[in-house]
């Protein structure tokens, strides 16, 4: 899901590694074979996967937090149950993905604990959208429909990923995303067909989320922010398409639906170029994007604080059970 | 005692109807507030795996509240969503002990939540819930018994979950044991209204809402709890308030304000 | 040495065998076998249970090391009420009609999984 991959330290291409092994590895990848956790893999592949999947996983965990703000407030019993199940799934997706990342990190003696520490220290980044604030119930709808929609576009693109454990996790995740998409659609549909206040609330949320949605896919090219590593993920057949291709796919799928609900997009230059067969749009502020993912977004500090508190306040629990667990008779 | 087999028959027997409704409101309001407190925990549990497991229990508990509110709806009360969202604190029968916040702070701001409170409170509550449902299932009012039987189907793993946490933590470090024991002592100071029928015990029994006396059920609860926790041998427990008599503190006001914030912003709108 | 070990009885340890048919498949329990240790269990596993089928990976796990449910737990812990439409797509079937009114399609499983392939830019 997270397409903005920063430069990975210590993973210069295979100067010292066994060239024969590398050639054989690349042949497996080319043949569409799946790589497993204990297979030989080039350092660059492992590092790229760790970076990608730990970001993806921790973004799911952090992504639970903005929506969670609306869980207790959901306006009907059915919505309360639906959004609880949906946010639970996000935590569940985080669990699947972090397990995949943790197994990849195991050779370095690193674990879940290190990932949490990296998150809190700012070394492990999470997705730009989850640094943003939520203001109204319509945010729960827009997150479920459009933010998740963007995530679905990115994730389905990796359903054939060369790394077996990641690909299998994504299969499970994408199957659940169908429910998420409809959960989001249902909230949005009720607001779009509701009172003038409900419609206004929905439009305001769409306007506010628009730049974040464009940013979601990462910059179109490395020049924009100076450090996109998207070509590495395509070289190793982890994903198929570029950031811009994914953004275009998102606009293709969702804009007609947005317009069909009578909603507008806050960009006067937005239009579909029939000749190029792609959407023209105003670029979001990529400098702001860089600031956001450096944990300088509107709600970065508060969201991290929640994870920090969960970590700190439960230290005694981890300490209590970290030895041989007691098995109940 | 003759049994009351249908909703229609219950609607014609006012004394039994009032007893049944009081019992059901106590149950549904307890589950509703318990589920609310559980939903505040989402994302803050000791680890991710527990977050996922805890959330299913929280959802099921909300599902139980829905089922019971719907039963009340069939008995002539307002629709379930209104029962959950539109009743003021002064009409609620939930236990004040269950309304107590998860810890200092709010779920949005500086939640210093205490896992020892979660484990002890939910273990004590689920034990009481099982006993209360079992007696209703053996009672002679079929619509109440049917709801109780349904909930009893999936409730055992909730109880097993919290029992596991309590047993493991009590048998771990002195630090953990001390934290749990403090919460047990607190429950004996505050949880009195949770295991109470609020003066309706005799009416419940006489009308067949329950099959056992309140005292017998409380003793059963004490015995079961003491087989797991190092808890005091004596009853009654003291209470922090009497929710069964609609006497609540500000904790419930805060909870309801949050639960109903969007609902009350436009009660006629479809959400 | 106990009487039992003199007879070599502890040679017979129960191992459960799991296997995977393809890289994208999940592990599936196949059957169990007896072996004195995991190395030998692994050696026995494929020919005992997967002689005629493709296998890409195998796990053997000593049965003692599996914490399964006991009969009472199976009875008590596995029931769920049939009231969870809210967590499935079943609860949102009505959206199909609503989107049709707006000349759009609902996002169902078929549509979403078709997004695997994206137009080249």
């Amino acid at each position: 899901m997270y397409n903005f991959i920063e430069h990975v330290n210590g993973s210069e291409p295979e100067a010292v590694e066994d060239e024969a092994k590398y050639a054989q590895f690349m042949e497996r990848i080319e043949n569409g074979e799946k790589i497993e956790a204990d297979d030989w893999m080039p350092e660059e592949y492992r590092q790229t996967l760790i970076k990608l999947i730990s970001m993806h996983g921790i973004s799911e965990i952090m992504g639970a937090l903005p929506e969670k703000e609306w869980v207790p407030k959901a306006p009907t019993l059915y919505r309360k149950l639906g959004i609880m199940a949906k946010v639970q799934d996000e935590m569940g997706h985080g669990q699947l993905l972090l397990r995949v990342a943790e197994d990849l990190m195991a050779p370095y003696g690193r674990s879940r604990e290190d990932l949490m520490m990296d998150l809190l220290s700012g070394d492990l980044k999470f997705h730009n959208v989850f640094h943003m604030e939520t203001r109204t119930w319509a945010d729960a709808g827009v997150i479920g429909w459009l933010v998740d929609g963007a995530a679905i576009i990115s994730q389905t693109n990796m359903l054939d990923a060369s790394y077996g454990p990641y690909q299998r996790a994504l299969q499970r995740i994408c199957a659940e995303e169908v429910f998420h998409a409809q959960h989001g659609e249902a909230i949005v549909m009720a607001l779009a067909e509701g009172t003038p206040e409900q419609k206004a609330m929905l439009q305001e949320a769409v306007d506010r989320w628009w730049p974040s949605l464009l940013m979601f896919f990462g910059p179109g090219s490395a020049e924009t922010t100076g450090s996109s590593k998207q070509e590495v993920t395509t070289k190793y057949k982890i994903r198929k398409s570029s950031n811009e291709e994914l953004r275009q796919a998102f606009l293709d799928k969702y804009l007609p639906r947005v317009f069909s609900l009578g909603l507008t997009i806050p960009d006067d230059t937005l239009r579909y170029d029939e000749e190029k067969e792609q959407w023209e749009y105003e670029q979001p502020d990529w400098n702001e994007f860089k600031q956001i993912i450096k944990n300088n977004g509107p709600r970065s500090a508060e969201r991290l604080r929640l994870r920090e508190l969960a970590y700190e306040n439960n230290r005694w629990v981890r300490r209590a059970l970290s030895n041989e667990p007691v098995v109940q008779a | 005692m003759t049994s009351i087999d249908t909703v229609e028959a219950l609607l014609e027997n006012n004394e039994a109807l009032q007893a049944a409704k009081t019992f059901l409101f106590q149950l549904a309001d307890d589950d509703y507030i318990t589920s609310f407190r559980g939903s505040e925990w989402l994302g803050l549990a000791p680890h991710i795996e527990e977050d996922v497991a805890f959330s299913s229990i929280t959802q099921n508990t909300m599902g139980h509240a829905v089922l019971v509110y719907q039963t009340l709806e069939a008995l002539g009360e307002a629709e379930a969503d209104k029962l959950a969202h539109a009743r003021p604190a002064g009409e609620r029968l939930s236990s004040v002990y269950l309304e107590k916040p998860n810890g200092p702070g709010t779920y949005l701001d500086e939640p210093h939540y205490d896992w020892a409170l979660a484990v002890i409170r939910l273990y004590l509550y689920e034990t009481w819930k099982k006993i209360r449902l079992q007696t209703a299932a053996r009672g002679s009012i079929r619509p109440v018994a049917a709801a109780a039987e349904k909930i009893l189907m999936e409730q055992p793993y909730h109880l097993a979950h919290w029992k596991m946490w309590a047993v493991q933590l009590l048998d771990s470090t002195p630090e953990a044991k001390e934290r749990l024991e403090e919460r047990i002592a607190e429950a004996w100071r505050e949880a009195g209204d949770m295991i109470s029928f609020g003066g309706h015990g005799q009416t419940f029994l006489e009308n067949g809402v329950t099959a056992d006396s309140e005292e017998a059920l409380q003793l059963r609860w004490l015995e079961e709890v003491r087989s797991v926790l190092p808890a005091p041998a004596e009853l009654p427990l003291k209470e922090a308030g009497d929710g069964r008599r609609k006497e609540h503190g500000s904790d419930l006001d805060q909870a309801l304000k949050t639960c109903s914030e969007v609902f009350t912003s436009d009660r006629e709108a479809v959400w | 040495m106990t009487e039992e070990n003199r007879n070599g009885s502890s040679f017979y340890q129960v191992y459960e065998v799991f296997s995977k048919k393809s890289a994208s498949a999940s592990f599936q329990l196949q059957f169990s076998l007896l072996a004195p240790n995991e190395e030998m269990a692994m050696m026995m596993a494929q020919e005992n249970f997967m002689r005629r089928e493709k296998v890409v990976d195998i796990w053997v796990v000593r049965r003692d090391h599996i914490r399964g449910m006991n009969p009472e737990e199976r009875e008590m812990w596995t029931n769920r009420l049939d009231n969870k439409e809210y967590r499935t797509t079943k609860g949102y079937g009505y959206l199909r009609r609503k989107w049709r009114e707006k000349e759009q399609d609902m996002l169902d499983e078929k549509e979403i999984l078709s997004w695997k392939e994206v137009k080249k830019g």
Side-chain angles (χ1 to χ4, degrees):
Chain A
M1 169 163 82
Y2 198 98
N3 298 309
F4 179 73
I5 303 168
E6 286 188 304
H7 186 73
V8 179
N9 290 329
S11 67
E12 290 308 312
E14 321 303 316
V16 284
E17 291 198 81
D18 189 336
E19 276 179 34
K21 274 186 183 168
Y22 186 79
Q24 199 181 20
F25 173 85
M26 286 312 286
E27 196 183 318
R28 290 185 65 194
I29 296 244
E30 291 304 323
N31 290 340
E33 286 180 41
K34 298 295 174 219
I35 307 302
E36 295 301 325
D38 54 356
D39 286 341
W40 185 89
M41 62 184 84
E43 197 57 18
E44 184 184 47
Y45 184 73
R46 183 183 295 275
Q47 292 287 355
T48 303
L49 285 172
I50 290 174
K51 201 92 185 172
L52 174 77
I53 302 169
S54 59
M55 265 180 186
H56 186 175
I58 210 70
S59 292
E60 299 275 0
I61 301 296
M62 297 307 288
L65 298 177
E67 274 184 292
K68 184 233 166 138
E69 294 170 5
W70 293 93
V71 166
K73 298 181 180 181
T76 70
L77 291 164
Y78 198 84
R79 292 275 182 259
K80 278 184 162 71
L81 286 164
I83 194 169
M84 249 194 270
K86 200 270 181 175
V87 179
Q88 175 193 36
D89 283 350
E90 304 297 358
M91 295 297 290
H93 296 172
Q95 193 274 344
L96 295 169
L97 294 162
L98 291 183
R99 282 299 308 120
V100 175
E102 287 152 18
D103 283 349
L104 280 163
M105 291 166 22
Y108 307 124
R110 288 167 51 78
S111 67
R112 172 94 44 100
E113 180 117 46
D114 298 296
L115 284 175
M116 289 301 159
M117 292 292 95
D118 288 351
L119 172 72
L120 297 179
S121 70
D123 287 344
L124 176 55
K125 307 278 196 279
F126 61 101
H127 213 289
N128 72 294
V129 282
F130 304 128
H131 295 259
M132 306 310 286
E133 63 172 336
T134 68
R135 285 188 200 162
T136 68
W137 170 245
D139 289 63
V142 170
I143 293 174
W145 189 38
L146 296 178
V147 174
D148 266 47
I152 292 170
I153 296 274
S154 308
Q155 292 176 128
T156 49
N157 197 250
M158 297 188 289
L159 275 173
D160 295 327
S162 59
Y163 187 57
Y166 190 38
Q167 181 256 341
R168 290 192 292 274
L170 286 169
Q171 295 281 355
R172 292 181 69 112
I173 291 170
C174 289
E176 286 178 346
E177 294 287 2
V178 180
F179 152 65
H180 294 188
Q182 294 180 9
H183 160 82
E185 282 183 341
I187 295 175
V188 165
M189 186 72 80
L191 296 177
E193 295 187 338
T195 65
E197 290 77 16
Q198 286 176 306
K199 286 180 192 166
M201 182 194 278
L202 177 59
Q203 183 64 60
E204 188 273 333
V206 170
D207 291 349
R208 196 154 33 78
W209 281 93
W210 177 247
S212 302
L213 288 165
L214 289 178
M215 288 175 188
F216 183 94
F217 298 93
S221 66
E223 293 85 68
T224 318
T225 56
S227 57
S228 171
K229 263 212 152 190
Q230 44 177 312
E231 67 288 351
V232 180
T233 54
T234 42
K235 173 174 89 181
Y236 288 122
K237 290 199 188 298
I238 296 167
R239 67 176 176 141
K240 298 173 179 164
S241 309
S242 71
N243 290 353
E244 189 55 34
E245 285 165 347
L246 292 174
R247 186 165 24 241
Q248 289 290 333
F250 172 72
L251 300 174
D252 276 343
K253 304 292 179 198
Y254 282 88
L255 283 181
R257 290 176 167 90
V258 167
F259 297 140
S260 82
L261 294 178
L263 293 163
T264 59
I265 294 296
D267 176 358
D268 295 337
T269 68
L270 181 74
R271 67 181 191 93
Y272 189 71
D273 187 327
E274 298 282 352
E275 216 161 277
K276 291 193 203 154
E277 290 190 339
Q278 60 178 16
W279 292 89
E280 300 285 328
Y281 57 89
E282 191 184 324
Q283 288 292 320
D285 182 347
W286 290 108
N287 286 322
E288 191 190 328
F289 171 77
K290 277 201 277 186
Q291 283 305 313
I292 290 171
I293 59 165
K294 274 189 196 156
N295 293 340
N296 295 322
R299 301 293 290 172
S300 313
E302 291 82 352
R303 301 265 161 74
L304 284 167
R305 177 67 180 150
L306 290 179
R307 286 251 55 90
E308 184 182 32
L309 280 175
Y311 186 80
E312 296 293 334
N313 290 334
N314 292 313
R315 176 174 283 118
W316 68 272
V317 180
R318 296 193 303 278
R319 215 161 35 204
L321 301 179
S322 60
N323 293 320
E324 221 20 50
V326 183
V327 180
Q328 197 187 317
Chain B
M1 190 185 325
T2 52
S3 66
I4 298 177
D5 292 331
T6 62
V7 167
E8 292 70 30
L10 182 54
L11 287 169
E12 278 168 24
N13 181 337
N14 192 47
E15 195 187 322
L17 177 66
Q18 294 315 319
K21 287 209 278 196
T22 301
F23 180 86
L24 293 173
F25 268 122
Q26 290 182 1
L27 181 60
D29 289 346
D30 275 357
D31 274 351
Y32 186 67
I33 193 72
T34 298
S35 179
F36 168 73
R37 291 293 176 214
S39 75
E40 289 186 308
W41 262 104
L42 190 53
L44 300 169
H47 75 326
I48 299 165
E49 282 81 351
E50 172 61 22
D51 254 318
V52 176
F54 187 3
S55 180
S56 275
I57 293 178
T58 303
Q59 288 166 49
N60 289 345
T61 303
M62 178 71 77
H64 300 169
V66 172
L67 193 147
V68 178
Y69 283 138
Q70 284 169 342
T71 307
L72 282 159
E73 191 179 333
L75 294 174
E77 293 292 326
E79 61 187 84
D81 264 314
K82 293 217 166 95
L83 294 178
H85 293 100
R87 285 158 60 231
E91 289 178 19
R92 307 243 173 186
L93 299 185
S94 43
S95 154
V96 170
Y97 174 63
L98 300 176
E99 293 159 7
K100 184 186 179 76
N102 296 313
T106 72
Y107 79 98
L108 295 168
D109 188 28
E110 291 292 301
H112 289 268
Y113 287 179
D114 180 24
W115 192 242
L117 171 60
V119 168
I120 292 302
R121 176 159 65 179
L122 289 164
Y123 170 69
L124 294 177
Y125 176 61
E126 295 289 2
T127 304
W128 175 248
K129 182 168 162 178
K130 178 185 76 174
I131 287 168
R132 154 162 91 171
L133 290 170
Q134 282 174 340
T135 193
R138 293 194 299 111
S140 57
I141 300 185
R142 205 50 228 154
V144 176
E149 282 164 8
K150 266 194 173 179
I151 296 170
L152 276 170
M153 263 177 56
E154 74 180 1
Q155 195 256 352
Y157 93 94
H158 300 185
L159 178 56
H161 184 97
W162 298 114
K163 181 176 166 185
M164 174 204 72
W165 272 107
V167 167
Q168 292 206 6
L169 287 173
L170 281 166
D171 197 16
S172 63
T173 56
E175 182 193 19
K177 194 161 184 279
E178 194 180 315
R179 282 171 181 270
L180 264 67
E181 284 172 352
E182 270 172 33
R183 290 301 183 181
I184 294 168
E186 173 193 73
W188 256 252
R189 293 193 305 271
E190 298 184 8
D193 68 338
M194 182 183 80
I195 58 164
S196 148
F197 288 142
H200 296 279
Q202 194 57 29
T203 323
F204 289 169
L205 186 62
E206 282 165 8
N207 286 282
V209 177
T210 58
D212 308 88
S213 74
E214 185 174 3
E215 295 70 30
L217 297 171
Q218 287 172 342
L219 283 171
R220 197 176 298 163
W221 177 84
L222 183 70
E223 190 184 351
E224 185 161 339
V225 166
R226 280 174 45 80
S227 72
V228 174
L229 304 182
E234 65 277 3
L235 289 175
L237 277 57
K238 295 198 185 72
E239 55 195 28
D242 192 350
R244 306 297 185 218
R245 290 187 169 81
K246 305 178 181 175
E247 293 161 12
H248 303 275
S250 57
D251 293 340
L252 183 61
D253 293 328
Q254 172 265 321
L256 293 179
K257 196 165 165 259
T258 304
C259 283
S260 305
E261 181 186 307
V262 182
F263 173 86
T264 49
S265 71
D266 187 344
R267 286 167 191 254
E268 302 314 313
V270 176
W271 293 100
Chain C
M1 191 185 277
T2 65
E3 186 65 29
E4 203 184 14
N5 279 345
R6 221 186 328 269
N7 292 331
S9 303
S10 65
F11 180 91
Y12 301 112
Q13 302 291 332
V14 181
Y15 281 83
E16 296 287 352
V17 177
F18 300 80
S19 75
K20 252 165 72 107
K21 267 196 175 66
S22 70
S24 59
S26 307
F27 273 93
Q28 263 201 334
L29 176 62
Q30 296 298 345
F31 220 77
S32 61
L33 55 72
L34 297 182
N37 55 57
E38 61 183 27
E39 289 314 307
M40 191 168 294
M42 179 57 86
M43 227 33 116
M44 306 294 122
Q46 183 161 3
E47 294 316 305
N48 270 270
F49 308 126
M50 284 124 346
R51 293 185 291 281
R52 292 184 184 80
E53 56 185 272
K54 190 173 156 51
V55 158
V56 299
D57 201 355
I58 295 174
W59 285 351
V60 292
V61 185
R62 238 178 89 158
R63 183 178 282 173
D64 303 354
H65 291 174
I66 295 176
R67 166 61 166 92
M69 285 185 169
N70 62 39
E72 194 201 352
E73 289 166 351
R74 284 198 286 276
E75 167 75 24
M76 299 296 284
W77 295 357
T78 58
N79 292 317
R80 296 292 184 272
L81 284 175
D82 180 19
N83 64 347
K84 315 232 188 300
E85 297 86 9
Y86 69 86
R87 65 160 27 153
T88 67
T89 53
K90 217 165 95 189
Y92 299 111
Y94 68 96
L95 289 170
R96 190 173 299 283
R97 180 179 53 75
K98 291 208 174 264
W99 280 116
R100 285 249 168 86
E101 288 166 10
K102 300 175 199 311
E103 298 178 355
Q104 296 291 328
D105 290 322
M106 171 180 184
L107 302 179
D108 57 16
E109 189 170 357
K110 195 172 152 234
E111 169 68 16
I112 283 177
L113 294 180
S114 79
W115 295 355
K116 239 162 90 162
E117 303 303 331
V118 164
K119 192 168 72 184
K120 289 284 157 198

